[in-house]
C-alpha cells in the first residue's frame, strides 16, 4: 500500500482552516436564509434517511470536506479494501468484512481463493445447525430440546452478538432465549447459569484461536457447571466417556483451531470457522453471529446480511458528496480537528438499540484510537473520539444537560424508527408519537437554542436568565428508518463501520489492527503468579502494584 497522505498538508485542509477561522456557527440564520437547507443536506442510504442539516457546516465547508476525502485518497483506499488488498499493513492482512455479506452469486478471488464461496460454505453450515436447534432436531444429552443458548466470548465475539440479539428480540423464536457471558469476573458466568437447566442449555464458545484467556476460562467454568448439574440429577454418569458425550451435545465452537476445539471435548464437526481477514469488531455477520442466527432464524439472518450489503453498495458506488458514511466520517474529522470535539454521543430513540453505543465503542475506539499512521510515523492531528450514549428518553434525564449547556462541542447522532415494535397507547395518546416528539424536539433545541430575550419574554427573573439561556449551535445528525428490522440493524452497523473507515483514512491510520489491547493482557499473565502468592513474582512488580496486590491478599475473604 502507498504511504498515507498527511491531511494537514493538503489544499483542502488549508481551506478548512480558513473557513473555520471565519465561521461563526448560527444555525438559526442558516435555516432562515435557506428554506431548502434541510432538503439539500439530507441524504439516503438504503432504508436510512439521514438529515445532516443541523450540523455546523455550510456549502463551502461541505465542499472542502469532499475535497479532503479525494485529496487523502478515501475512495482509492475504499476500493483497495473491497478488492482484498492488504490494507491492514501491520498484520499484512486483507480487510474483507464486506465479503461476509456479499450475495452468493458474487465472486471475489483473493490469493487464489474465492472468499465469497468460502463465506457461504460456512453460512450454510451455520444455517443448517440453526435449523436443527430451532426445530428440536438437535437435543441435549438427555433428549430434551434446547431452550437457552449461552454465547461465551469477549470483545467482538460478545459485543456484536449481544447488541444484535437485543435489537432483534421481536424476531426471536418463542421458547428460545440467548444469554451472553464475557467478563472473566466469575460473577458473570455464575449469574448467567444460576437459573438454567443443564439438560436444555447449549453453549457456543466463540474464540478464533481458542486461546482467549477470558473465553476459555469461562468455557471451562461452564463445562464444569454442566457436568456437575447433569451428574447431580443422575442424567449422566461419572467417567470421561460420559463427560465427552455430554459436552458434545451441549457445546459448539466458533473457531478455526480445530485441534484445540477437539481437545476441549467439542466435536470439530460442530465448529464454525472464519478468517484472519475478519477483525473481531467486524465479525458479527460471520459465524460469530451463530447465537443470533439460532435465535432469529436463517431467513432473518440473511435479511440482516442483506442490510449490511445494501450500505456496502452505497459506500462503494456513491460519489463522496452523496455518500452518507463518507460525509458522516468527514463531519467527525471536522469536529475533531477544528472544534476540539473530544467525544461523540450516539442516542438511539429505540429501546431495542440500548446496547448500540457500547457496540460502537469497540468499533470506533479500537479501530481509530491510534497515535501512529500506517507507515509508522506519528499522526499529525488528533485522532479518535470517545463514543458514548444511552437510549432516549433516558439520556434526557441524565447527561443531556452537558450536551445542551456544557462548554465542549459534543456532536450527537440521533437514531430512531417510524414504526415501533410495540405500538401502544396511553389512553388516546400514541406513545410512539409522544416518544418521537422528544426525538424531534431535542435536535431542534440543540440546534436553535433559546436566547436571553426569549427567556425574559417568559417572565423569568433577570437573575436567573443566564442559567436558562441555551446557546444552540450544538451539532446533530438525525437518522430515521421505517422500522427496526433485521435489514435495518445490518444497515446501521455497516454505516458506522464505513464512517470509522473514512476517518481512519483521513488520519492515515490502520483502523484494522488493535495492538493497544495487547500490553495489558501480556502483563496480566506476568502478574497472575504474584496475585496467587508467588513472592518472587511479586518482587518484580512496581511499588504501586505490589501494594495493591498485598492489600488484595490481606483482605480476600
Amino acid at each position: 500500500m502507498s504511504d498515507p497522505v498527511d491531511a494537514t498538508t493538503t489544499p483542502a485542509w488549508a481551506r478548512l482552516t480558513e473557513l473555520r477561522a471565519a465561521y461563526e456557527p448560527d444555525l438559526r440564520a442558516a435555516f432562515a436564509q435557506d428554506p431548502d437547507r434541510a432538503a439539500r443536506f439530507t441524504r439516503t442510504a438504503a432504508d436510512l434517511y439521514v438529515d445532516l442539516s443541523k450540523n455546523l457546516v455550510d456549502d463551502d465547508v461541505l465542499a472542502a470536506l469532499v475535497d479532503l476525502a479525494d485529496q487523502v485518497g478515501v475512495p482509492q483506499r475504499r476500493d483497495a479494501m473491497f478488492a482484498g488488498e492488504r490494507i491492514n499493513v501491520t498484520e499484512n492482512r486483507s480487510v474483507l468484512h464486506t465479503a461476509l455479506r456479499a450475495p452468493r452469486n458474487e465472486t471475489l478471488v483473493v490469493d487464489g481463493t474465492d472468499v465469497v464461496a468460502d463465506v457461504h460454505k460456512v453460512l450454510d453450515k451455520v444455517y443448517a445447525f440453526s435449523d436443527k436447534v430451532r426445530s428440536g432436531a438437535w437435543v441435549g444429552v438427555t433428549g430434551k430440546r434446547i431452550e437457552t443458548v449461552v454465547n461465551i466470548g469477549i470483545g467482538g465475539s460478545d459485543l456484536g452478538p449481544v447488541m444484535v440479539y437485543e435489537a432483534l428480540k421481536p424476531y426471536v423464536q418463542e421458547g428460545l432465549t440467548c444469554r451472553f457471558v464475557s467478563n472473566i469476573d466469575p460473577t458473570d458466568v455464575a449469574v448467567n447459569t444460576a437459573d438454567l437447566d443443564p439438560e436444555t442449555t447449549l453453549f457456543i464458545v466463540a474464540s478464533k484461536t481458542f486461546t482467549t484467556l477470558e473465553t476459555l476460562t469461562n468455557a471451562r467454568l461452564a463445562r464444569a457447571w454442566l457436568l456437575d448439574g447433569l451428574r447431580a440429577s443422575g442424567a449422566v454418569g461419572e467417567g470421561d466417556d460420559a463427560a465427552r458425550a455430554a459436552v458434545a451435545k451441549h457445546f459448539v465452537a466458533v473457531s478455526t483451531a480445530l485441534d484445540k476445539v477437539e481437545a476441549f471435548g467439542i466435536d470439530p464437526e460442530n465448529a464454525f470457522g472464519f478468517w484472519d481477514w475478519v477483525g473481531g469488531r467486524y465479525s458479527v455477520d460471520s459465524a460469530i453471529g451463530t447465537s443470533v442466527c439460532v435465535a432469529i432464524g436463517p431467513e432473518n439472518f440473511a435479511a440482516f446480511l442483506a442490510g449490511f450489503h445494501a450500505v456496502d453498495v452505497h459506500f462503494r458506488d456513491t460519489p463522496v458528496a452523496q455518500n452518507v458514511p463518507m460525509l458522516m466520517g468527514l463531519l467527525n474529522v471536522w469536529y475533531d480537528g477544528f472544534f476540539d470535539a473530544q467525544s461523540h454521543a450516539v442516542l438511539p430513540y429505540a429501546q431495542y438499540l440500548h446496547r448500540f453505543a457500547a457496540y460502537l465503542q469497540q468499533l470506533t475506539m479500537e479501530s481509530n484510537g491510534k497515535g501512529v499512521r500506517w507507515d509508522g510515523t506519528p499522526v499529525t492531528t488528533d485522532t479518535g473520539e470517545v463514543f458514548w450514549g444511552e437510549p432516549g428518553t433516558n439520556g434526557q434525564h441524565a447527561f443531556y444537560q452537558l450536551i445542551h449547556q456544557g462548554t465542549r462541542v459534543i456532536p450527537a447522532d440521533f437514531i430512531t424508527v417510524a414504526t415501533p415494535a410495540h405500538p401502544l397507547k396511553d389512553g388516546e395518546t400514541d406513545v410512539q408519537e409522544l416518544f418521537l416528539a422528544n426525538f424531534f424536539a431535542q435536535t431542534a433545541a440543540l440546534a436553535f437554542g433559546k436566547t436571553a430575550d426569549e427567556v425574559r419574554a417568559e417572565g423569568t427573573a433577570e437573575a436567573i436568565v443566564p442559567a436558562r439561556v441555551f446557546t444552540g449551535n450544538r451539532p446533530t445528525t438525525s437518522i430515521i428508518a421505517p422500522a427496526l428490522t433485521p435489514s435495518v440493524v445490518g444497515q446501521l452497523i455497516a454505516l458506522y463501520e464505513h464512517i470509522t473507515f473514512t476517518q481512519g483514512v483521513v488520519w492515515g491510520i490502520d483502523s484494522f489492527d488493535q495492538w493497544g489491547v495487547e500490553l495489558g493482557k501480556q502483563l496480566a499473565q506476568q502478574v497472575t503468579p504474584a496475585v496467587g502468592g508467588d513472592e518472587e513474582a511479586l518482587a518484580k512488580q512496581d511499588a504501586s502494584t505490589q501494594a495493591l496486590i498485598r492489600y488484595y491478599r490481606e483482605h480476600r475473604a
Side-chain angles (χ1 to χ4, degrees):
M1 285 302 300
S2 60
D3 290 339
V5 175
D6 182 349
T8 66
T9 66
T10 63
W13 194 274
R15 175 64 173 150
L16 287 166
T17 303
E18 294 173 1
L19 291 169
R20 178 65 185 99
Y23 184 64
E24 291 292 338
D26 189 347
L27 288 174
R28 285 195 179 204
F31 275 85
Q33 294 164 10
D34 181 4
D36 296 325
R37 179 179 172 90
R40 290 193 309 104
F41 284 80
T42 294
R43 306 286 189 272
T44 58
D47 295 317
L48 307 179
Y49 177 92
V50 182
D51 181 357
L52 304 173
S53 65
K54 296 189 183 82
N55 280 282
L56 304 183
V57 292
D58 56 21
D59 291 321
D60 290 338
V61 170
L62 204 60
L65 288 171
V66 169
D67 289 342
L68 179 65
D70 286 328
Q71 290 169 18
V72 300
V74 174
Q76 291 81 4
R77 197 160 177 86
R78 170 203 60 193
D79 295 344
M81 177 180 72
F82 275 91
E85 294 185 32
R86 297 175 183 270
I87 67 168
N88 179 353
V89 294
T90 70
E91 297 177 304
N92 193 30
R93 292 174 177 173
S94 299
V95 175
L96 286 172
H97 49 280
T98 53
L100 295 171
R101 51 267 194 155
R104 191 182 297 272
N105 59 1
E106 288 195 2
T107 300
L108 177 60
V109 177
V110 178
D111 297 331
T113 299
D114 184 351
V115 296
V116 176
D118 281 356
V119 164
H120 281 275
K121 286 179 186 175
V122 175
L123 268 178
D124 288 342
K125 189 175 179 182
V126 170
Y127 289 168
F129 170 72
S130 299
D131 281 335
K132 286 180 183 178
V133 175
R134 291 167 61 83
S135 68
W138 180 290
V139 295
V141 71
T142 62
K144 292 184 179 179
R145 70 182 295 154
I146 299 301
E147 297 177 358
T148 308
V149 175
V150 180
N151 187 86
I152 301 176
I154 197 166
S157 300
D158 170 75
L159 287 165
V162 70
M163 183 275 289
V164 176
Y165 174 77
E166 291 293 324
L168 296 178
K169 269 192 172 175
Y171 295 86
V172 174
Q173 178 173 289
E174 187 175 354
L176 263 180
T177 58
C178 290
R179 296 188 183 183
F180 299 86
V181 172
S182 58
N183 200 337
I184 199 172
D185 182 334
T187 300
D188 200 10
V189 69
V191 168
N192 275 292
T193 57
D195 60 341
L196 298 183
D197 179 355
E199 295 183 47
T200 61
T201 301
L202 174 72
F203 293 95
I204 299 175
V205 184
S207 172
K208 183 187 295 185
T209 62
F210 226 70
T211 59
T212 308
L213 173 66
E214 295 90 344
T215 300
L216 269 294
T217 299
N218 282 328
R220 289 190 292 270
L221 292 173
R223 181 176 60 188
W225 170 86
L226 175 82
L227 295 175
D228 288 347
L230 292 174
R231 287 166 178 159
S233 67
V236 302
E238 299 292 335
D240 292 344
D241 289 344
R244 276 193 293 271
V247 170
K249 297 298 292 183
H250 292 269
F251 277 81
V252 299
V254 179
S255 178
T256 53
L258 297 184
D259 55 338
K260 295 181 176 66
V261 167
E262 187 171 20
F264 184 88
I266 297 173
D267 185 343
E269 288 297 313
N270 298 325
F272 310 100
F274 54 116
W275 305 269
D276 66 4
W277 42 256
V278 183
R281 57 195 177 277
Y282 297 90
S283 66
V284 68
D285 43 341
S286 72
I288 288 294
T290 297
S291 57
V292 175
C293 188
V294 171
I296 67 174
E299 184 176 344
N300 285 321
F301 198 82
F304 174 59
L305 299 183
F308 277 95
H309 183 66
V311 172
D312 291 344
V313 170
H314 170 89
F315 182 62
R316 184 191 67 198
D317 297 344
T318 306
V320 177
Q322 301 299 321
N323 194 306
V324 172
M326 282 195 195
L327 290 174
M328 290 181 69
L330 292 165
L331 285 169
N332 291 353
V333 169
W334 169 240
Y335 295 128
D336 191 81
F338 296 89
F339 287 82
D340 193 30
Q342 298 180 8
S343 75
H344 193 111
V346 179
L347 309 170
Y349 279 65
Q351 181 62 28
Y352 281 125
L353 288 174
H354 69 103
R355 293 293 293 164
F356 192 56
Y359 172 78
L360 292 183
Q361 286 172 350
Q362 186 195 23
L363 173 64
T364 60
M365 293 193 282
E366 193 168 272
S367 294
N368 287 343
K370 314 285 174 64
V372 296
R373 301 189 298 167
W374 70 68
D375 63 352
T377 59
V379 298
T380 58
T381 64
D382 288 334
T383 64
E385 314 103 307
V386 176
F387 270 70
W388 57 282
E390 285 287 331
T393 54
N394 294 3
Q396 294 176 199
H397 294 267
F399 50 76
Y400 276 41
Q401 170 66 45
L402 179 69
I403 302 176
H404 277 284
Q405 291 186 310
T407 58
R408 291 193 184 278
V409 172
I410 302 175
D413 298 343
F414 283 70
I415 304 169
T416 196
V417 296
T419 302
H422 306 286
L424 302 178
K425 285 195 170 186
D426 176 22
E428 295 302 312
T429 301
D430 184 313
V431 178
Q432 179 73 356
E433 293 182 358
L434 178 65
F435 184 43
L436 290 197
N438 283 270
F439 175 93
F440 302 129
Q442 287 293 334
T443 60
L446 287 163
F448 307 124
K450 196 173 193 178
T451 67
D453 286 343
E454 289 170 336
V455 174
R456 291 187 186 99
E458 295 175 342
T460 304
E462 188 63 30
I464 61 173
V465 165
R468 298 184 63 175
V469 168
F470 291 79
T471 60
N473 300 313
R474 309 287 176 138
T476 64
T477 295
S478 297
I479 303 170
I480 308 180
L484 198 62
T485 61
S487 175
V488 165
V489 173
Q491 291 171 40
L492 287 170
I493 298 172
L495 172 67
Y496 281 90
E497 287 178 347
H498 299 319
I499 290 169
T500 302
F501 173 89
T502 299
Q503 291 177 252
V505 177
V506 174
W507 291 326
I509 58 182
D510 182 347
S511 298
F512 302 101
D513 61 14
Q514 57 279 329
W515 298 108
V517 306
E518 296 300 321
L519 179 59
K521 289 161 59 176
Q522 294 168 1
L523 291 180
Q525 294 177 351
Q526 299 172 20
V527 171
T528 297
V531 177
D534 185 327
E535 289 297 328
E536 184 179 350
L538 182 63
K540 295 178 180 178
Q541 309 307 316
D542 65 88
S544 171
T545 303
Q546 288 182 28
L548 291 166
I549 291 173
R550 288 195 179 99
Y551 180 91
Y552 159 75
R553 283 163 52 179
E554 290 169 5
H555 292 82
R556 168 67 187 265

